[in-house]
């Protein structure tokens, strides 16, 4: 009797399985590198982006079709500079600290392989930041880029690996998913040791559902309050700078201005005096723009990162080339107007307020509708008002007297950790309410010894 013999199925490794296996092998070698060897590579990655800022900015604009070339140059140089400046003196390998009072010794250990899911909005500085943090702490990294930023990511992966090899590092320490998909990214997130997800809400939720330790971001929707005691010219110039930067694709850029009602006209004049603002009070025109930015109540992907002129054209409104932002009066805060939502384009709403408490309440209403846990901005010299806003608002960072999009992610002149990943806490469905930095990508072993001459309290003293 003839029997049909079935050949055993040939099981081939997926691209993800191959990437992760290579990454683990590379990381095992890299783990033995000294602090000096690690820092040489991390510095080289940042310096590559700094030195090639123009080339990388042009690549990003050409591939993604969004943002502003000149702003991306500034972003590339600025982020490379500030992140390396923050990392260069930090211990992240071996013994990183001791506490004489508690007789503890702290030892840094890598997590292993980091999956870095990177967005179309920041196709250069986010992979750079992810790589610098991952390698600083002895890990390997695999990028999962947005499909519209794959060429940029491939270029960076190759360039960063040249830095690794020049400094004696192993092959495959930095890799990327090619011709990726949502399914491949999900497979990657489940296969690595830790995930950093910078992207849309669905992707971040998927990261937190991967079964791996994950760090994600939430939506931004930054309200900015102008207090009564500030130099209006200075405050408004900073707001325009922040809101217009890279055509509004920075998650921490100013979205909704709250101005004192008795100074409202003066504020508008100051905006117009910058020569960079297009403003209208015509309700029909405002409605056209509102419907263009939020058709059906949802953000129009076609306006993201586009110039004011391009946004205007989509609405059938003639906005001059000179405009860097479109400023529109809002009908109210929170659910009173769609313009109170995150816009990711250079369209900014403005609303007058009576008391400072009213301004904080309006800012809070916006954030609770969208953007809770992210950031708010305030221009004020009143410490009571500054602390009140910090206490009342559901935010992870309050940016005071600065251009928010430039500084919420850390700068040389504030204390926010330099990063491209801004945690939004439980408000935004995130595991951290701070700026992600390198410390989140390392394990720390704690060596605990008896505290010499420690006086042990009696029960009576404990319960006194």
């Amino acid at each position: 009797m003839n029997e049909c013999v079935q050949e055993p199925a040939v099981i081939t490794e997926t691209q993800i399985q191959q990437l992760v296996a290579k990454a683990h092998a590379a990381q095992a070698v890299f783990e033995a590198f000294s602090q000096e060897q690690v820092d040489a590579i991390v510095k080289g990655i940042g310096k590559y982006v700094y030195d090639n800022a123009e080339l990388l900015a042009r690549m990003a604009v050409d591939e993604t079709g969004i943002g502003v070339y000149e702003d991306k140059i500034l972003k590339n140089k600025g982020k490379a500079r500030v992140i390396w400046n923050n990392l260069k003196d930090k211990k992240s390998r071996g013994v990183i600290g001791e506490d004489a009072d508690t007789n503890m010794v702290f030892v840094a250990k890598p997590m292993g392989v980091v999956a870095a899911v990177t967005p179309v909005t920041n196709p250069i500085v986010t992979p750079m930041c992810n790589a610098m943090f991952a390698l600083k702490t002895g890990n390997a990294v695999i990028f999962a880029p947005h499909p519209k930023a794959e060429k940029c990511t491939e270029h960076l992966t190759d360039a960063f690996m040249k830095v690794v090899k020049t400094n004696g590092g192993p092959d495959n320490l930095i890799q990327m998913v090619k011709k990726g998909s949502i399914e491949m990214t999900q497979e990657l997130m489940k296969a690595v040791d830790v995930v950093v997800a910078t992207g849309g809400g669905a992707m971040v939720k998927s990261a937190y559902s991967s079964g791996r330790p994950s760090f994600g971001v939430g939506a931004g929707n930054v309200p900015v309050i102008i207090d009564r005691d500030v130099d209006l010219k200075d405050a408004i110039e900073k707001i325009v700078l922040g809101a217009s930067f890279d055509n509004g694709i920075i998650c921490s850029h100013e979205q909704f201005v709250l101005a004192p009602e008795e100074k409202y006209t003066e504020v508008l004049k100051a905006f117009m005096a910058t020569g960079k603002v297009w403003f209208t009070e015509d309700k029909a025109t405002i409605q056209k723009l509102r419907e263009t930015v939020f058709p059906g109540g949802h953000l129009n992907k076609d306006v993201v990162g586009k110039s004011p002129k391009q946004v205007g054209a989509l609405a059938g409104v003639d906005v001059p080339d000179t405009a860097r932002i479109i400023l529109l009066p809002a009908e109210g805060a929170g659910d009173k107007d769609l313009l109170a939502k995150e816009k990711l384009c250079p369209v900014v709403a403005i609303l007058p307020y009576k008391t400072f408490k009213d301004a904080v309440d309006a800012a809070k209403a916006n954030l609770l509708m969208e953007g809770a846990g992210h950031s708010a901005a305030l221009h004020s010299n009143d410490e009571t008002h500054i602390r009140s806003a910090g206490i009342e608002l559901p935010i992870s960072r309050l940016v005071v007297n600065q251009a928010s999009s430039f500084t919420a992610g850390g700068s040389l002149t504030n204390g926010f950790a330099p990063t491209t990943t801004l945690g939004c806490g439980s408000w935004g469905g995130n595991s951290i309410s701070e700026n992600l930095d390198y410390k989140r990508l390392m394990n720390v072993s704690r060596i605990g010894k008896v505290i010499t001459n420690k006086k042990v309290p009696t029960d009576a003293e404990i319960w006194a």
Side-chain angles (χ1 to χ4, degrees):
M1 184 173 64
N2 293 329
E3 293 184 0
C4 180
V5 178
Q6 186 173 0
E7 292 291 330
V10 178
I11 300 174
T12 58
E13 282 190 312
T14 66
Q15 179 191 166
I16 300 302
Q17 290 172 325
Q18 292 174 351
L19 289 171
V20 173
K22 290 176 181 177
H24 276 300
Q27 192 277 323
V29 174
F30 187 56
E31 187 168 351
F33 276 41
S34 68
Q35 186 74 69
E36 291 73 22
Q37 291 173 302
V38 167
D39 284 351
I41 293 172
V42 175
K43 177 183 179 181
I45 288 171
K47 194 64 162 56
Y48 175 80
V49 171
Y50 183 88
D51 289 342
N52 295 276
E54 292 85 357
L55 166 69
L56 298 171
R58 175 49 58 199
M59 288 181 65
V61 171
D62 287 350
E63 183 177 13
T64 67
I66 61 176
V68 180
Y69 168 69
E70 293 79 6
D71 290 349
K72 289 188 184 296
I73 293 172
L74 294 175
K75 186 195 300 185
N76 293 344
K77 285 184 176 290
K79 281 297 181 185
R81 179 196 301 120
V82 72
I83 290 173
W84 171 243
N85 183 67
N86 186 56
L87 292 178
K88 65 180 182 180
D89 298 322
K90 302 295 194 303
K91 291 183 178 181
S92 59
R93 308 298 303 118
V95 175
I96 59 172
E98 299 186 39
D99 187 329
D101 291 338
T102 60
N103 213 6
M104 298 282 287
V105 179
F106 305 97
V107 185
K109 309 283 180 66
M111 288 187 164
V113 177
V114 179
V117 183
T118 57
V120 69
T121 49
N122 283 313
I124 304 299
V125 294
T126 298
M128 176 201 73
C129 179
N130 295 156
M132 292 175 78
F133 288 172
L135 270 61
K136 176 73 176 179
T137 46
N139 303 294
V141 64
I142 301 172
F143 300 130
H146 189 282
K148 292 183 179 178
E150 188 170 313
K151 290 179 182 177
C152 287
T153 309
E154 186 169 7
H155 178 92
L156 289 179
T157 302
D158 292 342
F160 293 169
M161 273 306 304
K162 286 179 183 176
V163 173
V164 170
K165 297 300 292 180
T166 298
N167 288 278
D171 291 333
N172 304 312
L173 191 63
I174 302 171
Q175 301 177 91
M176 68 169 285
V177 177
K178 296 183 179 180
K179 297 181 180 178
S181 64
I182 292 173
E183 292 74 22
M184 289 172 71
T185 299
Q186 290 173 336
E187 182 186 355
L188 175 69
M189 293 190 294
K190 292 176 181 178
V192 297
D193 299 295
V194 61
V195 179
V196 179
T198 312
M203 185 57 70
V204 172
K205 185 176 181 180
S206 182
Y208 283 121
S209 302
S210 67
R212 301 298 182 180
S214 301
F215 301 100
V217 297
N221 185 26
V222 179
V224 52
I225 300 171
I226 301 174
D227 207 347
R228 291 180 159 88
D229 64 348
V230 298
D231 178 336
L232 285 181
K233 181 176 183 293
D234 176 70
I236 287 164
E237 285 178 349
K238 288 174 179 172
I239 292 169
V240 172
L241 182 66
S244 65
F245 189 72
D246 214 10
N247 280 346
I249 55 176
I250 309 296
C251 59
S252 57
H253 92 266
E254 293 86 341
Q255 301 257 352
F256 193 101
V257 179
L258 292 152
E261 63 177 5
E262 76 280 6
K263 294 187 176 184
Y264 184 69
T265 300
E266 187 180 354
V267 166
L268 291 177
K269 287 180 180 178
F271 269 109
M272 300 306 294
T274 65
K276 300 176 180 179
V277 177
W278 184 86
F279 174 75
T280 182
E281 292 182 303
D282 180 70
K283 290 188 179 297
T285 302
I286 295 168
Q287 184 59 21
K288 283 183 183 179
L289 287 160
R290 184 183 287 116
E291 291 174 353
T292 296
V293 176
F294 295 108
H298 302 287
L299 180 63
N300 181 357
K301 63 179 178 57
D302 292 333
V303 305
V304 174
K306 299 300 185 180
S307 70
K309 186 173 184 63
Q310 289 172 311
V311 175
L314 289 171
V317 177
D318 185 21
V319 178
D321 289 324
T322 53
R324 289 302 310 274
I325 69 170
I326 293 171
L327 185 66
L328 302 175
E331 294 179 353
D335 59 6
K336 301 294 191 298
D337 195 332
L338 286 172
L339 293 174
K341 297 179 67 175
E342 182 183 37
K343 292 171 279 295
L344 290 178
C345 65
V347 174
V348 179
I350 186 167
L351 185 71
Y353 68 83
K354 293 182 183 295
T355 68
F356 188 77
K357 182 181 183 304
D358 291 335
V360 172
D361 288 345
K364 187 173 183 177
N366 284 9
L367 289 162
L368 291 177
M369 178 183 62
E370 187 168 45
H374 205 292
S375 309
L378 171 62
H379 292 269
S380 176
N381 297 308
D382 186 325
E383 187 64 23
T384 300
H385 282 178
I386 292 170
R387 295 193 178 220
S388 173
I391 290 168
E392 292 296 325
L393 295 175
I395 49 172
S396 297
R397 54 200 66 77
L398 178 65
V399 182
V400 180
N401 296 329
Q402 302 163 79
S404 181
S405 68
F406 276 79
T407 61
S411 81
L412 296 175
T413 56
N414 69 28
F416 296 126
T419 192
T420 56
T421 302
L422 282 66
C424 299
S426 59
W427 299 286
N430 299 165
S431 57
I432 59 171
S433 57
E434 62 181 347
N435 290 4
L436 179 82
D437 74 356
Y438 74 100
K439 292 190 292 294
R440 291 290 182 172
L441 297 184
M442 67 182 184
N443 294 310
V444 178
S445 297
R446 290 161 174 81
I447 302 171
K449 295 176 283 186
V450 174
I451 303 172
T452 309
N453 301 321
K454 173 73 173 181
K455 181 183 181 298
V456 179
T458 65
D459 281 6
E461 289 171 329
I462 290 172
W463 297 107

